[in-house]
Amino acid sequence: MRLSLLLGLALSATALIAAAISLVWTPYDVTALAIADKLKPPSAAHWLGTDHFGRDIGSMLMAGAQTSIAVALVAVGIGMGLGVPLGLLAAARRGSLADEVIMRGNDLVFAFPSLVIAILITAVFGPSALNAILAIGIFNIPVFARVTRGSALSLWTLDFIRAAEVAGKGRARISAEHILPNIANHLIVQGTIQFSLGILAEAGLSYVGLGAQPPTPSWGRMLAEAQTMVTLAPHVAIFPGLAIVLTVLGLNLMGDGLRDHLDPRLRRAA
Amino acid sequence: MSLLSVGNLSLSIHGAPILSGVSFEIAPGETFGLVGESGSGKSMTALALMGLLPQGAVASGSAEFLGQDLLALPERALTRLRGNEIGMIFQEPMTALNPMKTIGDQVAETLLVHRAAARGAARDIAREKLARVGLAEDRFPLTLYPHELSGGQRQRVAIAMAIALRPRLLIADEPTTALDVTTQAQILDLLKGLTDEEDMALLLITHDLAVVAGRTTHTAVMQAGRIVEQGETEPLFRTRAHDYTRRLFAASDHRPARAAQTRPEPLLTVENATRDYLLPRPSAFAPHPVLRAVDGVSLTLHRGESLGLVGESGCGKSTLTRAILGLDPLQGGAIRLGGAEVTAGHTMPAGLRARMQVVFQDPYGSFNPRHRVERLVAEPFHLTGTPPDARDRVAAALEEVGLQAADRRKFIHEFSGGQRQRIAIARALIIRPDLIVLDEAVSALDVRVRAQVLDLLARLQESHGLAYLFISHDLSVVRSITDRVLVMKSGRIVEEGATEAVFAAPRHPYTRTLVAATPTIPARWKEPAHAD
């Protein structure tokens, strides 16, 4: 196992564990205000300091991890859940009308800048974490559909698929039994990368006020709120920023490392 | 005075021994054959001479070429030699050329890299070399791209690149293995002509004894990283001093013992089958041009018969096979199996599908790498419903093809190519079909493994009363295992008849070309040198 994969796994695991712990315990209550303690720099009582309402930044980061991960996870779930079957269908019926409709629909979604559409969706349906999830999830669908179709197409030319056809198996059954297990590596790797992009997208939407609404803590909104106070108390901006950067970096390293680890040809060259 | 003198060449890669004590000499202008099965180290020998070994390789010994030891030269000196004094051509013409550059530029590049000519002069030399390898200016201008050429023509371009600087030695690693038999004969003739006229030595590496037999003066036989026997080609073939040479020789034209068991009852009938493909539109609103891949083919295959279908790539035999297997629809005509019509896709009843199975060429692509052998072999039970004794039947099928019942728990990557083809045969046998379609089923195998698999096929045919449709481009294999043969060209059957009669006295000109182009070991070489 390579160092980058280990580092990626460690960083991703840290974010995940922080989010899991915050479900049951955080050092301080993230909704309680303590104006007297506002904008305290890091200290023994508050390891990462406090914000302009005197809330503990460490606790808010833990709870914010929960929001980020939940949004990204569900968004990737939507993308995979719809994109993979669509991609399998397009590959199984290559050149048919269904293939054309699916892939041109894909192109259509790809043609829009995703964040602008996300802003549109939240502007129409109102800002909330749920709408952010939907917006990010919809843009994951074509990504997975394309990766699935591309890798499935090369498998469809192989003889073991022909043998399955001679054994009377239908295309749906062949897709599930022979194609899907053989493209799982690609999907896992793509999933990790989309997951990190989802976290970035959620932070971006929350930053402009279209994601999770107060009092739900969110890394993106923490950054936005810290903006005016950067010169006064830099730690208020630095720690949420670091959380985003390190988590995304960790997921990307993990995705890259997994690709090498799951592909036997690359593993040998390592 | 020899041109190349290899002495005691040994090679290991990451500690694993690949070559040990390989020694041979090539005289100027000589044609030297290096024969061996896959994994014997023949390609590694060539790569060691070119200094193109993979990472982790450690070579020892010597390779004297024009007074220099190739193994001791630094990389800079080797790059001056490569392409200049030593040229090389590879097996796969489809990947040996850069698809983004014209053939003229690619041949000229060799000259420019070695600063052998100025740009204008390089193009003239390129033109001349391409004409020399049979690509005349009027039909093959320098501005053509590789995708506009056939496989054989691309191999000619590769040869033109290799000989552009008139190297003293040309290394050809399986140069014709990926080509059709008629193209193979032309390329081999071209190489022979080049060595004669340009005073160039040729190191011809191949797995095919017959290719070496007609064209080399000296031959070395390799096995497991060693040269087991070498000498002048004809005496070597006649005496066959080493046991391994004898076994290779016997396997190369092996004929399994088989008795004709054809019953007069027709099993598969194809009547006037026609299959068209739509090609891309030449312009936006033009109609699709139509390619007729199978053009009014009719054939009958009887119960228990072994029928060969021979033809070169692109003749339509694969398309016909797909239609027979019920994978593609026909545009005209009909296919019947035991009286019932074969239709494409899910409209074909499972009971009918269960009467025929298939074995493919590629032992590596024929199996889902994520399933165990048990599940792979049992796949056709989908047609019949899984019987209660499925496990025992899988075990029995594996034993029948010469594997062990315990192998059913293994994954496919744990088996060699020959074993995989046996598993493919077990998969075809498991539901006791009447007909097995063998689509180039032994083409990817080494000669000795091929002989064993042919024996197995003959034995199974006898014990199960199977009918075979044996599709191949390899005439010698078809000759050894079929009762009757069809010759296909451009979508039509051009000749049909009893196998021996067709091969002994071909009537159609195309069949005659095919038979003449097939490399053979001269019959008189097969008799022992000492008549006792």
Side-chain angles (χ1 to χ4, degrees), chain A residues 127-200:
Chain A
S128 75
L130 183 68
N131 285 338
I133 288 174
L134 278 180
I136 302 166
I138 287 170
F139 281 98
N140 272 331
I141 297 173
V143 175
F144 283 103
R146 233 177 227 186
V147 169
T148 307
R149 180 176 180 269
S151 3
L153 277 184
S154 57
L155 281 176
W156 270 98
T157 62
L158 293 180
D159 280 342
F160 73 84
I161 303 297
R162 215 87 320 109
E165 286 182 292
V166 171
K169 290 186 173 167
R171 297 181 200 211
R173 172 121 193 209
I174 290 176
S175 292
E177 198 174 300
H178 289 301
I179 306 281
L180 196 55
N182 280 295
I183 62 171
N185 324 355
H186 299 256
L187 295 180
I188 290 169
V189 170
Q190 195 62 43
T192 329
I193 288 165
Q194 292 309 115
F195 191 81
S196 74
L197 291 178
I199 286 180
L200 268 183

Side-chain angles (χ1 to χ4, degrees), chain B residues 45-313:
Chain B
T45 307
L47 293 179
L49 297 179
M50 294 290 277
L52 294 174
L53 288 169
Q55 277 193 351
V58 181
S60 65
S62 67
E64 293 280 335
F65 177 77
L66 297 174
Q68 290 168 296
D69 185 0
L70 293 175
L71 299 182
L73 283 182
E75 175 64 20
R76 286 177 62 91
L78 276 173
T79 37
R80 278 197 295 275
L81 277 179
R82 277 184 221 134
N84 202 350
E85 299 291 346
I86 307 179
M88 187 157 182
I89 47 180
F90 298 93
Q91 173 173 351
E92 191 45 76
M94 296 298 161
T95 54
L97 302 177
N98 180 345
M100 300 297 287
K101 291 177 103 177
T102 64
I103 58 172
D105 283 346
Q106 298 196 46
V107 178
E109 189 185 17
T110 320
L111 297 155
L112 295 175
V113 165
H114 288 281
R115 299 176 202 285
R119 196 160 287 274
R123 289 189 76 81
D124 292 342
I125 298 177
R127 180 65 271 160
E128 176 207 328
K129 294 295 174 189
L130 283 170
R132 176 66 194 85
V133 298
L135 302 176
E137 178 156 24
D138 49 344
R139 285 188 54 217
F140 301 96
L142 293 177
T143 49
L144 285 181
Y145 284 92
H147 72 266
E148 297 171 287
L149 303 176
S150 71
Q153 289 161 354
R154 289 183 214 195
Q155 196 64 299
R156 286 172 191 269
V157 176
I159 294 172
M161 286 166 69
I163 62 164
L165 285 161
R166 305 184 60 121
R168 305 289 303 280
L169 173 66
L170 181 63
I171 301 177
D173 188 358
E174 302 271 12
T176 58
T177 307
L179 304 176
D180 278 325
V181 53
T182 47
T183 320
Q184 173 180 44
Q186 290 161 8
I187 295 287
L188 288 173
D189 287 343
L190 171 64
L191 288 173
K192 180 95 179 102
L194 285 173
T195 50
D196 291 348
E197 290 163 31
E198 316 254 332
D199 188 32
M200 181 176 70
L202 175 68
L203 173 57
L204 180 63
I205 296 171
T206 177
H207 67 283
D208 190 341
L209 281 176
V211 164
V212 166
R215 290 173 169 90
T216 63
T217 47
H218 283 78
T219 297
V221 181
M222 274 193 101
Q223 182 198 17
R226 291 169 192 279
I227 289 183
V228 295
E229 187 174 358
Q230 63 177 315
E232 277 183 59
T233 305
E234 188 176 340
L236 182 132
F237 273 62
R238 278 174 181 265
T239 46
R240 281 163 256 154
H242 194 276
D243 180 49
Y244 179 73
T245 316
R246 266 198 299 280
R247 279 185 284 149
L248 263 191
F249 202 88
S252 72
D253 61 349
H254 177 77
R255 299 217 181 173
R258 48 192 297 276
Q261 46 161 359
T262 309
R263 281 160 281 162
E265 182 190 343
L267 175 65
L268 175 79
T269 56
V270 178
E271 278 165 33
N272 225 0
T274 304
R275 174 88 172 98
D276 294 332
Y277 284 111
L278 291 182
L279 299 174
R281 300 171 199 266
S283 63
F285 296 103
H288 286 283
V290 173
L291 172 75
R292 181 149 289 189
V294 175
D295 188 5
V297 166
S298 299
L299 63 92
T300 305
L301 170 63
H302 300 94
R303 279 193 170 274
E305 187 181 26
S306 182
L307 179 65
L309 179 62
V310 185
E312 296 187 295
S313 53

Side-chain angles (χ1 to χ4, degrees), chain B residues 403-450:
Chain B
L403 298 169
Q404 276 143 29
D407 288 335
R408 63 174 196 264
R409 300 295 303 154
K410 293 186 184 164
F411 285 100
I412 198 67
H413 66 256
E414 299 174 58
F415 296 93
S416 70
Q419 288 171 323
R420 287 178 203 212
Q421 280 317 65
R422 287 172 188 268
I423 294 171
I425 294 169
R427 172 169 67 186
L429 271 181
I430 191 103
I431 52 171
R432 300 265 174 270
D434 297 324
L435 167 65
I436 297 184
V437 177
L438 299 156
D439 188 357
E440 302 273 8
V442 296
S443 301
L445 304 177
D446 275 324
V447 281
R448 285 188 306 153
V449 179
R450 186 170 77 193

Side-chain angles (χ1 to χ4, degrees), chain A residues 93 158-170 173 177-179 181-185 262 269, chain B residues 322 325 327 346 353 356-358 360-362 365-371 375-376 379-380 382-383 427:
Chain A
R93 304 214 159 265
L158 293 180
D159 280 342
F160 73 84
I161 303 297
R162 215 87 320 109
E165 286 182 292
V166 171
K169 290 186 173 167
R173 172 121 193 209
E177 198 174 300
H178 289 301
I179 306 281
N182 280 295
I183 62 171
N185 324 355
L262 292 175
Chain B
R322 285 186 60 87
L325 289 170
L327 300 177
H346 57 271
R353 273 196 190 281
M356 69 185 157
Q357 282 295 303
V358 62
F360 296 104
Q361 169 174 9
D362 179 9
S366 292
F367 301 96
N368 185 340
R370 307 216 164 223
H371 291 174
R375 188 165 170 196
L376 294 171
E379 184 159 49
H382 183 73
L383 292 166
R427 172 169 67 186

Side-chain angles (χ1 to χ4, degrees), chain B residues 512-532:
Chain B
R512 260 179 249 147
T513 320
L514 274 186
V515 171
T518 303
T520 46
I521 301 170
R524 60 195 166 78
W525 289 16
K526 293 180 184 172
E527 289 132 29
H530 37 91
D532 56 349

